[in-house]
């Protein structure tokens, strides 16, 4: 249920789609905001929520945080179904 | 492969043309002039004709004047016109047996026919000028679609490369942000696993004899237990990669040497998440990552060596001071430990904790200028003697000034005799004007002075000393620092360390 909730927000959905299509990507909030063409502040907030939901993994350092896609096959498979459904 | 891509491109182009709203609008305009003609838009084929007899029959049946007798004549006219258009690559006008007009236009770019746009069953003759305008319109539309496809192709080529570049840049920032080797190596391993989508990563660094690779970190995201194994140079994938100074790729492993001026180690990845073998792309990205990793590792190693040198210098200095005045100038290890734990409670940064550590060892270094008779005098000091002792913080700072690595320790050494209420020395700083490190040092130094053996007073027990500190909270000492101090000295390991060093007995 929690996973579906992430799809109700356009920014969340776009971020999830970006990582689902580019699973090897590790990028900063600014980079991701560029790829999905959304406001940086909103993207930052969305990234934190998606990390808490277990969809993304945060790699923190002193200067920045990089985000990468989950490796949980169950979550990835659910996301794949949800993305195809929405399309 | 090339031919397939070309066919896909041609099909895509013609499909876009066929579905184009602009073309439909243009057809609509012409239809209104020629009173509901039949339109055909069909892709080109090398050998077959673009439309089938079945299609012709189906469409013609819909016409009011359709008869079976006119059917074969109609079909013959249409198919002939298509053949002519295909051969000539030019527009072909025709008139069918029912006296209705039409044209077939092959959509040509260079020598290639993408498809055909045809119109039949027009009640009037179609003027050449109208045909010319229609052809011009279609050609312009085709050129526009070609540009769109080129841009789309460029986007599809550039975007993944740009995303990969951004990943490389982000990884670089993440691994360059730490100089702590124990933190750095697992971070490199985890990031490598994410970038290449593998399950396990091992980093081995070569030992000095250069005959064996020592495992420094192994990360397995499947949470499998891993044994850290040494690998001889030349043996197994990591050993071979090290020996040959080049990457070794197998079905389920990829070993990449870490090369500085020399090979310093190997990073090896195992088992891709999707079960596929490691490919050329994985190799390329790991090559870039390995180049970044080796710089970060070398920096961390150099930093560690520099730290060792600094600590070594401090310990040498501390040894000299200890020889000068045993048990008075240099504190024992337990106090360094107390200071560091208090620093962590205050969430001091790594470099601040380092400075605090150095300052603890040398905070009374300035007392070296004070004659030993004064330092060990059992009775009260005279005014002149006390003034000399009060100079020691400033003297201490001057002693350590040449050692640039100890710059952060200077404020702690200088202000550790300041008092929270502003009545201390050398500058009479008050409250938060006193750096936090100095406020911590003030408490711990006082504690140490009370429980250590001194010639001028009996040593106190740990509890009595703690009570004394508490009594002076808010006046001599910062209340927040006192609270943290009281919390830290209650810890079991601190108490055992103090006991081990002979305190509190």
């Amino acid at each position: 249920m929690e996973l579906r909730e992430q799809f109700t927000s356009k920014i969340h959905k776009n971020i999830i789609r970006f990582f689902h299509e580019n699973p090897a990507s590790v990028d900063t909030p600014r980079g991701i905001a560029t790829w999905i063409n959304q406001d940086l502040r909103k993207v930052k907030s969305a990234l934190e929520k998606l990390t808490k939901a277990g969809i993304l993994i945060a790699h923190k350092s002193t200067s920045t945080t990089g985000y990468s896609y989950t490796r949980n096959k169950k979550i990835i498979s659910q996301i794949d179904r949800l993305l195809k459904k929405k399309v | 492969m090339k031919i397939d891509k070309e066919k896909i491109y041609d099909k895509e182009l013609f499909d876009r043309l066929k579905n184009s709203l602009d073309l439909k609008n243009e057809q609509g305009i012409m239809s209104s002039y020629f009173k509901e003609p039949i339109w055909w838009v069909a892709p080109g084929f090398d050998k077959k004709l673009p439309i089938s007899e079945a299609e012709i029959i189906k469409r013609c049946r819909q016409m009011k004047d359709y008869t079976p007798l006119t059917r074969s004549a109609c079909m013959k006219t249409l198919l002939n016109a298509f053949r002519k258009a295909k051969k000539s690559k030019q527009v072909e006008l025709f008139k069918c047996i029912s006296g209705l007009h039409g044209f077939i236009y092959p959509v040509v770019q260079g020598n290639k026919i993408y498809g055909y746009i045809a119109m039949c069953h027009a009640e009037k003759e179609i003027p050449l000028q109208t045909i010319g305008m229609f052809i011009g319109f279609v050609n312009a539309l085709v050129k526009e679609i070609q540009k769109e496809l080129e841009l789309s192709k460029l986007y599809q080529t550039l975007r993944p490369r740009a995303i990969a570049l951004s990943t490389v840049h982000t990884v670089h920032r993440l691994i360059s942000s730490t100089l702590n080797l124990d933190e750095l190596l697992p971070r490199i391993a985890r990031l490598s696993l994410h970038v290449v989508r593998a399950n396990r990563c091992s980093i081995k660094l070569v030992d000095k004899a250069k005959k064996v690779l020592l495992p420094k970190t192994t990360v397995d995201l499947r949470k499998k237990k891993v044994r850290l194994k040494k690998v001889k140079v030349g043996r197994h994938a990591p050993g071979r990669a090290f020996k040959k100074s080049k990457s070794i790729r197998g079905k389920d492993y990829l070993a990449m040497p870490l090369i500085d001026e020399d090979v310093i180690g190997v990073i090896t990845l195992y088992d891709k998440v999707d079960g596929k073998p490691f490919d050329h792309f994985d190799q390329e990205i790991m090559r870039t990552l390995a180049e970044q990793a080796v710089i970060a590792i070398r920096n961390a190693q150099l930093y560690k060596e520099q730290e060792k040198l600094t600590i070594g210098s401090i310990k040498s200095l501390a040894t000299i001071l200890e020889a000068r005045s045993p048990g008075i100038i240099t504190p024992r290890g337990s106090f360094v430990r107390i200071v560091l734990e208090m620093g962590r409670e205050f969430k001091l940064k790594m470099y601040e904790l380092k400075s605090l550590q150095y300052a603890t060892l040398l905070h009374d270094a300035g007392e070296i200028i004070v004659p030993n008779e004064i330092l060990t005098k059992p009775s009260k000091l005279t005014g002149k003697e006390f003034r000399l002792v009060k100079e020691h913080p400033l003297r201490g700072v001057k002693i350590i000034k040449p050692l640039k690595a100890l710059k952060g320790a200077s404020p702690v050494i200088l202000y550790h005799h300041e008092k929270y209420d502003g009545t201390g020395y050398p500058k009479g700083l008050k409250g938060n004007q006193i750096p936090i490190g100095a406020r911590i040092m003030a408490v711990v130094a006082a504690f140490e002075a009370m429980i250590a053996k001194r010639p001028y007073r009996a040593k106190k027990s740990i509890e009595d000393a703690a009570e004394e500190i508490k009594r002076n909270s808010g006046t001599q000492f910062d209340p927040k620092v006192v609270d943290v101090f009281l919390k830290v000295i209650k810890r079991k390991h601190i108490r055992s360390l103090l006991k081990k060093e002979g305190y509190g007995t």
Side-chain angles (χ1 to χ4, degrees):
Chain A
M1 191 59 193
E2 205 184 294
L3 197 58
R4 274 180 205 276
E5 282 170 11
Q6 303 301 334
F7 278 76
T8 55
S9 151
K10 187 184 171 194
I11 284 188
H12 286 212
K13 201 170 85 176
N14 285 347
I15 292 172
I16 293 169
R17 188 190 299 280
F18 169 77
F19 278 105
H20 194 72
E21 289 171 359
N22 301 279
S25 180
V26 180
D27 219 323
T28 59
R30 187 176 292 280
I32 294 158
T34 306
W35 303 128
I36 66 168
N37 196 23
Q38 294 284 354
D39 177 70
L40 176 59
R41 266 185 317 174
K42 288 179 184 172
V43 165
K44 268 187 184 168
S45 164
L47 288 168
E48 281 163 23
K49 286 177 186 158
L50 288 169
T51 303
K52 273 192 188 141
I55 294 169
L56 299 180
I57 298 163
H59 307 270
K60 292 186 182 179
S61 77
T62 47
S63 61
T64 190
T65 301
Y67 291 89
S68 63
Y69 199 30
T70 181
R71 301 169 62 94
N72 185 312
K73 286 181 182 167
K74 199 176 168 190
I75 294 178
I76 293 172
S77 156
Q78 279 181 290
I79 288 172
D80 192 54
R81 276 200 302 276
L82 284 164
L83 282 172
K84 280 177 179 157
K85 210 171 161 185
K86 294 287 175 183
V87 165
Chain B
M1 197 64 163
K2 195 182 167 184
I3 296 164
D4 285 340
K5 278 189 179 172
E6 228 175 277
K7 274 190 179 165
I8 292 167
Y9 175 83
D10 294 348
K11 186 180 179 305
E12 176 69 28
L13 190 148
F14 199 78
D15 282 347
R16 286 195 186 203
L17 177 66
K18 189 175 164 184
N19 297 318
S20 159
L21 256 165
D22 291 331
L23 180 64
K24 285 183 170 71
N25 287 340
E26 192 68 16
Q27 286 170 328
I29 292 166
M30 285 183 69
S31 295
S32 61
Y33 183 72
F34 293 106
K35 293 203 179 137
E36 305 305 323
I38 300 172
W39 284 96
W40 308 84
V41 182
F45 293 92
D46 287 331
K47 289 175 183 166
K48 296 191 292 183
L49 280 173
I51 55 171
S52 66
E53 287 184 26
E55 276 177 78
I56 297 169
I57 294 165
K58 192 179 165 188
R59 295 280 195 101
C60 287
R61 268 197 185 139
Q62 290 165 7
M63 304 311 294
K64 284 179 206 167
D65 53 356
Y66 171 78
T67 66
L69 285 168
T70 56
R71 186 185 76 187
S72 60
C74 187
M75 263 184 357
K76 206 174 169 183
T77 312
L78 212 50
L79 292 172
N80 272 340
F82 265 111
R83 280 190 198 98
K84 279 187 186 171
K86 187 177 175 181
K87 196 176 175 183
S88 67
K89 292 194 176 78
Q90 286 181 354
V91 65
E92 287 295 327
L93 294 158
F94 61 87
K95 187 176 173 181
C96 70
I97 201 162
S98 310
L100 298 168
H101 300 268
F103 72 85
I104 313 262
Y105 171 59
V107 179
V108 179
Q109 291 286 306
N111 267 334
K112 193 186 281 186
I113 299 177
Y114 287 102
Y116 300 86
I117 300 175
M119 188 180 84
C120 68
H121 216 88
E123 286 185 6
K124 299 180 223 183
E125 195 178 340
I126 306 161
L128 283 170
Q129 207 180 15
T130 308
I131 301 268
M133 278 168 57
F134 181 76
I135 289 169
F137 164 80
V138 169
N139 284 343
L141 190 57
V142 166
K143 282 197 167 71
E144 210 178 282
I145 293 170
Q146 278 176 325
K147 276 185 199 166
E148 272 174 26
L149 284 173
E150 285 302 315
L151 271 171
S152 174
K153 195 175 162 188
L154 196 65
Y155 177 82
Q156 278 164 20
T157 313
L158 283 179
R159 188 175 154 94
R161 280 171 168 72
I163 290 170
L165 193 61
S166 191
T167 294
V168 166
H169 176 67
T170 303
V171 165
H172 169 72
R173 283 182 71 183
L174 291 171
I175 65 176
S176 304
S177 65
T178 180
L179 285 169
N180 181 333
L181 202 60
D182 293 330
E183 207 179 293
L184 173 65
L185 295 178
R187 187 177 285 185
I188 293 171
R190 269 194 299 273
L191 287 167
S192 303
L193 289 175
H194 282 289
V195 169
V196 175
R197 304 301 277 179
N199 278 313
R200 183 158 60 101
C201 177
S202 152
I203 299 179
K204 292 175 169 56
L205 299 181
V206 73
D207 81 348
K208 282 176 186 173
K210 297 205 177 181
K211 283 180 183 169
V212 68
L213 294 165
L214 300 170
K216 292 293 178 186
T217 196
T218 299
V219 175
D220 192 317
L221 295 179
R222 294 167 293 192
K223 312 281 184 207
K224 274 185 179 183
K225 277 191 180 169
V226 284
R227 279 193 311 161
L228 300 180
K229 290 193 285 186
K230 279 191 261 190
V231 170
K232 279 187 182 170
V233 168
R235 297 285 306 273
H236 307 294
R240 283 185 285 127
F242 180 89
K243 191 173 181 184
K244 292 182 181 182
S245 303
K246 59 186 232 182
S247 57
I248 306 278
R249 181 159 55 106
K251 184 178 167 270
D252 52 4
Y253 62 82
L254 171 61
M256 190 66 61
L258 298 164
I259 305 174
D260 188 17
E261 288 166 357
D262 201 0
V263 188
I264 67 165
V266 178
I267 178 168
T268 314
L269 294 147
Y270 302 88
D271 307 327
K272 283 195 79 167
V273 169
D274 57 11
K276 291 180 182 169
F278 288 95
D279 59 26
H280 174 72
F281 182 74
D282 296 327
Q283 203 162 354
E284 282 308 306
I285 205 139
M286 276 311 298
R287 187 166 288 129
T288 308
L289 213 143
E291 284 167 10
Q292 292 173 346
V294 80
I295 294 169
I297 291 168
R298 286 303 284 144
N299 284 344
Q301 286 173 329
L302 283 166
Y303 180 76
K304 201 172 179 178
E305 274 165 41
Q306 192 198 34
E307 252 199 350
K308 275 185 187 166
L309 268 167
T310 305
I311 291 279
S313 307
I314 292 169
K315 283 184 174 169
S316 297
L317 194 53
T319 307
I320 294 167
L321 297 169
E322 178 68 15
R324 162 71 163 73
S325 304
I328 290 176
I329 298 179
T330 48
R332 297 284 177 88
S334 49
F335 301 105
V336 177
R337 190 70 184 267
I338 292 170
V339 159
L340 287 176
E341 292 206 13
M342 285 174 72
R344 282 188 200 105
E345 288 289 326
F346 281 102
K347 298 202 186 331
L348 296 187
K349 293 189 177 70
M350 190 60 84
Y351 72 90
E352 288 171 312
L353 288 170
K354 284 275 170 227
S355 298
L356 205 48
Q357 182 187 0
Y358 302 152
T360 309
L361 291 168
L362 298 172
H363 70 280
D364 279 336
E367 283 184 356
I368 202 158
I369 57 117
V370 181
N372 217 34
E373 309 80 68
I374 297 175
L375 286 178
T376 56
K377 188 179 175 184
S379 56
K380 199 176 173 183
L381 298 176
T382 65
K384 190 179 172 185
E385 286 166 345
F386 190 51
R387 273 195 300 279
L388 193 57
V389 169
K390 275 168 75 173
E391 281 178 23
H392 84 269
L394 206 54
R395 298 275 181 185
V397 167
K398 279 185 182 164
I399 288 169
I400 67 163
K401 198 175 172 186
L403 292 165
K404 293 225 184 310
L406 299 181
K407 194 178 172 187
S410 293
V412 181
I413 293 171
L414 186 59
Y415 300 121
H416 77 278
H417 277 289
E418 296 287 358
K419 291 186 183 178
Y420 195 67
D421 60 7
T423 60
Y425 62 88
K427 291 189 179 173
L429 300 181
K430 194 178 173 181
N432 288 348
Q433 288 178 324
I434 309 165
I436 181 64
R439 279 180 268 148
I440 292 170
M441 184 60 59
V443 169
V444 178
F447 174 69
E448 191 253 338
M450 281 189 268
I451 66 170
K453 202 175 170 186
R454 290 282 189 268
Y456 44 82
R457 66 156 169 242
K459 65 179 183 177
K460 286 185 176 0
S461 69
I462 292 172
E463 284 69 30
D464 287 346
E467 268 310 305
E468 184 72 23
I469 299 280
K470 208 171 164 184
R471 263 196 294 277
N472 286 279
S473 172
T475 50
Q476 188 173 350
F477 307 119
D478 179 342
K480 286 198 293 291
V481 174
V482 171
D483 288 343
V484 167
F485 168 76
L486 293 171
K487 181 179 157 187
V488 166
I489 58 155
K490 280 187 180 134
R491 290 173 185 169
K492 233 176 169 174
H493 61 279
I494 296 290
R495 285 294 174 123
S496 1
L497 199 52
L498 285 166
K499 193 178 173 183
K500 201 176 167 185
E501 289 177 352
Y503 296 111
T505 51

